[in-house]
Amino acid sequence: METTTASQSTSLTTKDPMQEYTALQPLLLPQAHTHKTLRIVFIKPSQYDDDGYVIRFWKAVLPSNTLSVLQGLTEDIKRRRVFGDITIQVDTFDEVAEKVPVAQIVKWNRHPSTKLVVCLVGVQTPQFPRALEMGKQFRKYGIDVMMGGFHTSGTINMLGDQGPDIQELYRESIVVISGEVEGHWDGILADLLNGQLKPLYSFAQNLKDLVNIDNAPLPIISRKTMKHFARPNFGTVETSRGCPFSCSFCTIINVQGRMMRERSPEVIAELVRRNYTEHNIDFYFFTDDNFARKKWWRETFEAIIRLREEGIKISFMMQVDLARKPQDFVRLAAEAGCTQVFVGMESVNPDNIKVQGKGQNKVEEYKAIIGEWHDAGVAVHVAYIIGMPFDTKAQVALDMQYLMDEIEPDQASFFMLTPLPGSQDHKEMQERGEWMDPDLNKRDSFHATTAHPNMTAEEWTAAYQGAWQAFYSKENMAKILSRWQHSPRTYWNLLNVYLWYKNAALIEKQHPMVAGFFRLKDRLTRRPGFSVDSLPVHLWKRTKEVYRLFVAWARFLKEMEEVWLQSRPRTEREKRVLDEVQRIQGEIWQTLKVAEWQKAYNDAKAALPSKARTLLDPFEELSSKMLLSRKDLNVFLKKWGSLQIKIQTLHRSWAWGDGPAKKWLEQLYALHRDARQGMKVREWQEVYSGLRGRLPSRLDLLYARFDALSNRIVCSRQDLSACWARTRGHLGEMRIWHLQLSALAVACFKELFLTTAFARSLLASIRQKREDTTASTHPR
């Protein structure tokens, strides 16, 4: 199809619909008019888990762009009355988020004047077994079924239609769609109404002559489907298709081509304005494989900037490569509302990058490129592949540390290297006869499906899981969020993403990009080959699973409270007060040699007798105490002085002895003696008197402690965790008399206060975003 300019596309959309209707009338045979209604059911299938259950969640996260595109194409056919008086009805289902009502769909088909078709759309390789089984169910009732998506398109484009999976579709009389249906959809539906469906519709044999999507009808969002998603204001849309690069593991270039095909900036602006007005969509994931290589990237950003100036303040994330960007690309992206970029880093090992044909990635440039995005206020999300040819279990762990400490992305999605049908890797492996797991359900990039040269399947899986655990560790999340304290919007966006990602990868054990919140399991819908449990057995299993899930979530939320305490944004006033407190307390701790004392005491613990340890144990709590007032200082100095008296007493007790205990006590005594000479008590008291009335927030008063080794204030729930650990220990060993009820009461209060404060802050960030959206929708 010929490419048209942006100005031409406007004229095409204003054609007289009746002219098009008249031109297409010969498509319908007389028998087609016996149908009064054409009902099209679009289903985006899910996949099976390892236990054979369909993966479905109470609330999903990433909506399907394919459903919106096909609904838009169909509504355009309705608008143009291509099939005359035949009523067209559309139903959409995203199985990750909603149960597909198979029995209800079968009933719809029984109406004598209704022609019904089930379209299994956007089917990717791991979803193929589920899609095939669902297609078989509908075929049993004589319902026409079509299947399309990257699996069928990639397989046919690279290998032809003789593979066992495509042949099975033929045997089941499931119509196979390969390629993009823009410009062809009305013809396929005409064949359906005429009773002349072909086994295969293939539109991508020539990747240099694909459809011009700028002329295509705009996608339409289903309100019904979006109700099942955690963020109904979250949209996915493509502004272009194709990618100019040639990564060997990629299927996109062999389905959508290596020439960029774009929607014009005017069309994109029209789509964004309509979705904002009709559906309140204010955040997008632009699913283009490579936004940075669009011809009209500048004009697109400028069109979105103009929308923001009108009050339509959308934000978005997009996919870009790690090659150097055109001038002004990063700046204009940030001005247009880009809050996050998704980049295909794949590896930090140059040998791995080279062997996968990703020459545009230069490892030595990663840090600078990511830094450019950070300087513009944009977070960076990297895609990282585990299981490249030069990976080993040990090397993956080292690479993760390098990624976190040196490259410093803000988010990461990990994938196991998987030969997907449609990729060059898959084609070459098949030609060489190499083993690939025949279960397509496992080709989801988080199962080991090939033999790795340096790792067993177990080691590969462990390295993959270790990458998730390392990157989304409490320490790394706190470090990343601390970098964004100056930008509350980015901070809270990332924290919300961490709630989603860590829950999916480490609690639900599913990849975040196909996961949501709270897994649901239908007892009767199970993969062939797996037995269906009786109702009592199923309920008992689910009860245990839900219990474990709630326990895991309770621990996870406490961990996220800790991350928030350590990294939360503070007001300028809080920062000034805490900086002053940290400065003066740091001076006191240095004068008293607290850090040296702490190190010496930790080394001495094993050598000191239990009596000595009992006398000196209060030091550990004392060394981390926050001093926030003159009263705190005086109490501390009094306790510190009494500690010195204890050391002198212990030192005299071992004065005539010998051994390691005496050596450590002498060192501790010397530290105390030397520190006393440099004390400036009066000056310190004056400084604290000047802080009166300027104390930090209650959170700092309750949860802050001073880290003598780093000489800084740390906000943490460490003391609470230690209290609960001691309590569990006492209860486990039935030492009820050791429980300190007053300490437990204080811990309960602090726990409740912390949870409430965290929840209120999280909800406040969500409410603020909604208010910003409302204000921009209804400007004064």
Side-chain angles (χ1 to χ4, degrees):
M1 183 176 287
E2 293 182 1
T3 302
T4 60
T5 64
S7 60
Q8 287 174 317
S9 70
T10 304
S11 63
L12 285 172
T13 58
T14 57
K15 271 187 179 180
D16 181 358
M18 289 309 296
Q19 290 180 357
E20 297 184 32
Y21 164 59
T22 303
L24 286 167
Q25 278 300 295
L27 287 176
L28 292 186
L29 299 176
Q31 61 264 31
H33 295 284
T34 61
H35 304 298
K36 302 300 181 184
T37 301
L38 170 60
R39 190 159 194 171
I40 305 172
V41 180
F42 291 119
I43 301 173
K44 179 71 171 70
S46 182
Q47 70 179 89
Y48 297 108
D49 65 14
D50 292 341
D51 294 323
Y53 291 102
V54 175
I55 296 175
R56 182 164 61 91
F57 292 87
W58 169 61
K59 291 290 184 182
V61 178
L62 281 177
S64 168
N65 177 58
T66 304
L67 287 175
S68 299
V69 168
L70 287 168
Q71 182 158 349
L73 293 178
T74 308
E75 293 295 333
D76 178 68
I77 290 174
K78 288 171 61 177
R79 178 187 61 80
R80 293 187 287 120
R81 297 187 63 242
V82 170
F83 302 130
D85 294 331
I86 296 177
T87 300
I88 300 177
Q89 186 171 345
V90 178
D91 302 275
T92 63
F93 299 94
D94 192 327
E95 198 178 24
V96 172
E98 52 190 323
K99 183 178 179 180
V100 176
V102 175
Q104 183 66 47
I105 293 171
V106 171
K107 287 182 181 178
W108 294 341
N109 187 56
R110 291 173 182 161
H111 198 285
S113 63
T114 294
K115 181 61 179 176
L116 183 138
V117 62
V118 170
C119 302
L120 303 166
V121 305
V123 178
Q124 300 183 26
T125 297
Q127 298 160 351
F128 180 81
R130 171 59 184 160
L132 176 62
E133 181 59 25
M134 200 183 304
K136 288 179 179 179
Q137 286 182 284
F138 290 117
R139 288 299 300 142
K140 286 180 183 177
Y141 296 96
I143 298 173
D144 287 306
V145 178
M146 303 180 192
M147 184 187 297
F150 267 89
H151 180 74
T152 56
S153 302
T155 299
I156 290 172
N157 280 8
M158 296 294 281
L159 304 172
D161 67 346
Q162 297 305 304
D165 45 344
I166 303 300
Q167 287 297 310
E168 186 166 11
L169 293 177
Y170 288 166
R171 285 194 298 273
E172 297 293 335
S173 298
I174 296 174
V175 176
V176 180
I177 310 290
S178 172
E180 303 163 345
V181 298
E182 285 91 347
H184 308 287
W185 187 228
D186 40 12
I188 296 173
L189 293 180
D191 285 353
L192 170 73
L193 290 167
N194 291 331
Q196 295 181 342
L197 280 172
K198 302 177 181 65
L200 170 66
Y201 291 87
S202 183
F203 308 117
Q205 298 93 332
N206 183 1
L207 294 177
K208 294 183 179 179
D209 187 25
L210 297 173
V211 299
N212 175 17
I213 64 171
D214 191 32
N215 290 336
L218 295 178
I220 293 178
I221 292 170
S222 167
R223 289 185 179 178
K224 176 191 74 70
T225 298
M226 287 306 296
K227 289 178 181 178
H228 298 276
F229 285 80
R231 289 185 62 182
N233 63 330
F234 184 175
T236 54
V237 70
E238 57 192 0
T239 71
S240 66
R241 293 180 188 165
C243 178
F245 297 116
S246 55
C247 308
S248 64
F249 53 81
C250 180
T251 62
I252 290 174
I253 55 177
N254 298 314
V255 174
Q256 296 184 342
R258 293 180 58 190
M259 298 184 66
M260 302 294 290
R261 294 167 292 133
E262 306 181 40
R263 297 186 192 273
S264 69
E266 294 83 1
V267 167
I268 296 166
E270 178 187 345
L271 173 64
V272 169
R273 181 181 285 107
R274 189 188 70 188
N275 285 344
Y276 193 85
T277 303
E278 297 179 3
H279 302 287
N280 294 321
I281 303 295
D282 63 356
F283 184 82
Y284 284 94
F285 177 19
F286 291 144
T287 59
D288 312 44
D289 193 56
N290 199 333
F291 202 100
R293 302 304 150 190
K294 283 163 50 76
K295 179 177 67 177
W296 292 335
W297 64 263
R298 182 185 296 275
E299 292 82 357
T300 301
F301 285 151
E302 289 172 345
I304 297 173
I305 289 170
R306 287 193 293 272
L307 287 177
R308 291 174 64 84
E309 290 171 349
E310 294 174 19
I312 303 176
K313 296 190 176 182
I314 69 156
S315 54
F316 61 90
M317 66 176 290
M318 61 182 177
Q319 299 185 90
V320 297
D321 57 64
L322 267 171
R324 288 289 181 181
K325 301 295 173 291
Q327 186 177 6
D328 294 335
F329 183 88
V330 174
R331 177 182 64 81
L332 284 174
E335 288 182 22
C338 180
T339 60
Q340 186 178 99
V341 291
F342 183 87
V343 297
M345 179 174 289
E346 322 309 359
S347 179
V348 295
N349 185 329
D351 293 330
N352 282 331
I353 296 296
K354 183 177 179 181
V355 79
Q356 293 297 329
K358 207 170 178 73
Q360 68 271 21
N361 281 20
K362 310 293 183 186
V363 175
E364 65 276 11
E365 297 179 354
Y366 284 177
K367 186 175 180 65
I369 291 172
I370 289 178
E372 184 180 8
W373 285 109
H374 284 171
D375 290 343
V378 179
V380 178
H381 181 166
V382 299
Y384 197 101
I385 296 177
I386 308 294
M388 293 281 205
F390 292 93
D391 282 345
T392 65
K393 184 180 178 182
Q395 188 60 47
V396 168
L398 293 174
D399 289 347
M400 284 303 100
Q401 207 59 49
Y402 180 78
L403 178 73
M404 295 184 292
D405 295 344
E406 299 298 326
I407 309 299
E408 296 186 329
D410 306 291
Q411 192 182 341
S413 287
F414 299 102
F415 305 88
M416 299 176 81
L417 185 62
T418 302
L420 293 172
S423 69
Q424 190 65 29
D425 283 350
H426 177 270
K427 182 178 181 181
E428 292 178 359
M429 288 185 70
Q430 184 154 309
E431 290 172 349
R432 293 192 299 264
E434 295 184 34
W435 179 83
M436 293 178 278
D437 195 314
D439 185 359
L440 295 180
N441 194 73
K442 293 182 179 178
R443 304 280 184 92
D444 51 13
S445 299
F446 44 102
H447 286 85
T449 56
T450 62
H452 194 276
N454 303 319
M455 294 182 281
T456 65
E458 293 75 17
E459 289 174 332
W460 189 358
T461 302
Y464 171 76
Q465 292 172 344
W468 283 107
Q469 290 165 351
F471 194 90
Y472 292 96
S473 66
K474 178 174 60 179
E475 295 76 18
N476 194 50
M477 288 190 293
K479 183 175 73 172
I480 294 169
L481 290 170
S482 295
R483 294 200 296 261
W484 292 100
Q485 288 176 334
H486 65 284
S487 175
R489 184 186 68 169
T490 305
Y491 176 94
W492 286 108
N493 284 344
L494 282 172
L495 192 141
N496 276 284
V497 165
Y498 293 162
L499 286 169
W500 162 29
Y501 257 57
K502 189 157 187 176
N503 163 67
L506 299 177
I507 296 179
E508 296 284 4
K509 306 296 184 184
Q510 301 294 331
H511 200 284
M513 291 190 174
V514 297
F517 293 98
F518 193 75
R519 177 70 190 283
L520 302 173
K521 288 186 179 180
D522 182 4
R523 179 177 70 93
L524 299 177
T525 307
R526 206 165 185 190
R527 189 178 186 182
F530 288 81
S531 61
V532 175
D533 292 328
S534 65
L535 183 59
V537 171
H538 181 75
L539 290 176
W540 175 240
K541 286 182 178 179
R542 285 296 290 155
T543 300
K544 291 191 293 184
E545 288 172 355
V546 171
Y547 171 76
R548 286 194 293 266
L549 177 67
F550 276 99
V551 170
W553 255 94
R555 291 173 178 164
F556 176 41
L557 288 175
K558 292 304 167 187
E559 179 182 291
M560 294 309 295
E561 285 177 2
E562 173 77 353
V563 169
W564 172 66
L565 273 175
Q566 292 183 19
S567 63
R568 66 190 177 90
R570 302 176 186 274
T571 65
E572 288 302 318
R573 175 183 172 277
E574 284 181 315
K575 289 178 184 177
R576 287 195 300 271
V577 174
L578 285 175
D579 285 347
E580 180 64 11
V581 171
Q582 185 168 277
R583 183 196 67 77
I584 185 61
Q585 187 157 346
E587 180 182 319
I588 295 169
W589 257 233
Q590 286 179 334
T591 301
L592 298 179
K593 302 183 183 297
V594 174
E596 297 172 53
W597 209 100
Q598 188 173 25
K599 184 179 185 309
Y601 179 63
N602 288 338
D603 293 339
K605 270 186 177 181
L608 291 175
S610 58
K611 180 181 178 182
R613 288 201 301 272
T614 302
L615 285 172
L616 299 180
D617 272 348
F619 161 76
E620 298 201 48
E621 181 180 348
L622 199 58
S623 65
S624 62
K625 184 174 178 57
M626 275 283 294
L627 307 184
L628 297 169
S629 66
R630 181 169 178 164
K631 180 181 178 181
D632 288 344
L633 172 65
N634 292 336
V635 170
F636 169 79
L637 291 175
K638 183 177 180 180
K639 290 183 177 179
W640 189 260
S642 68
L643 189 64
Q644 185 181 26
I645 294 171
K646 291 177 183 178
I647 292 174
Q648 290 174 337
T649 302
L650 289 170
H651 185 256
R652 284 195 297 269
S653 301
W654 271 275
W656 307 105
D658 203 358
K662 179 182 178 183
K663 173 186 141 186
W664 290 118
L665 286 169
E666 285 178 346
Q667 183 176 352
L668 294 173
Y669 176 70
L671 285 171
H672 256 296
R673 184 189 59 220
D674 295 344
R676 192 167 186 82
Q677 297 173 4
M679 291 176 66
K680 305 173 185 176
V681 177
R682 184 165 296 178
E683 290 182 24
W684 297 339
Q685 289 175 336
E686 289 177 0
V687 172
Y688 274 104
S689 296
L691 289 172
R692 186 180 301 161
R694 294 197 295 134
L695 291 179
S697 69
R698 189 177 298 181
L699 278 168
D700 293 312
L701 294 174
L702 289 174
Y703 307 100
R705 61 186 182 84
F706 196 84
D707 183 1
L709 297 178
S710 63
N711 217 34
R712 65 186 183 92
I713 294 171
V714 176
C715 224
S716 171
R717 52 172 291 115
Q718 180 177 319
D719 293 341
L720 271 176
S721 299
C723 175
W724 298 129
R726 286 194 303 270
T727 302
R728 285 193 299 270
H730 293 325
L731 292 174
E733 297 180 14
M734 300 303 292
R735 298 194 303 264
I736 309 299
W737 56 91
H738 283 182
L739 296 177
Q740 298 179 359
L741 297 181
S742 59
L744 285 176
V746 170
C748 288
F749 167 77
K750 292 176 70 174
E751 196 74 72
L752 179 62
F753 182 82
L754 177 58
T755 300
T756 303
F758 177 56
R760 287 178 62 184
S761 296
L762 191 60
L763 293 173
S765 70
I766 297 171
R767 187 166 54 250
Q768 183 62 51
K769 183 173 179 58
R770 287 176 180 168
E771 289 174 356
D772 291 344
T773 301
T774 303
S776 61
T777 308
H778 306 288
R780 293 183 179 179

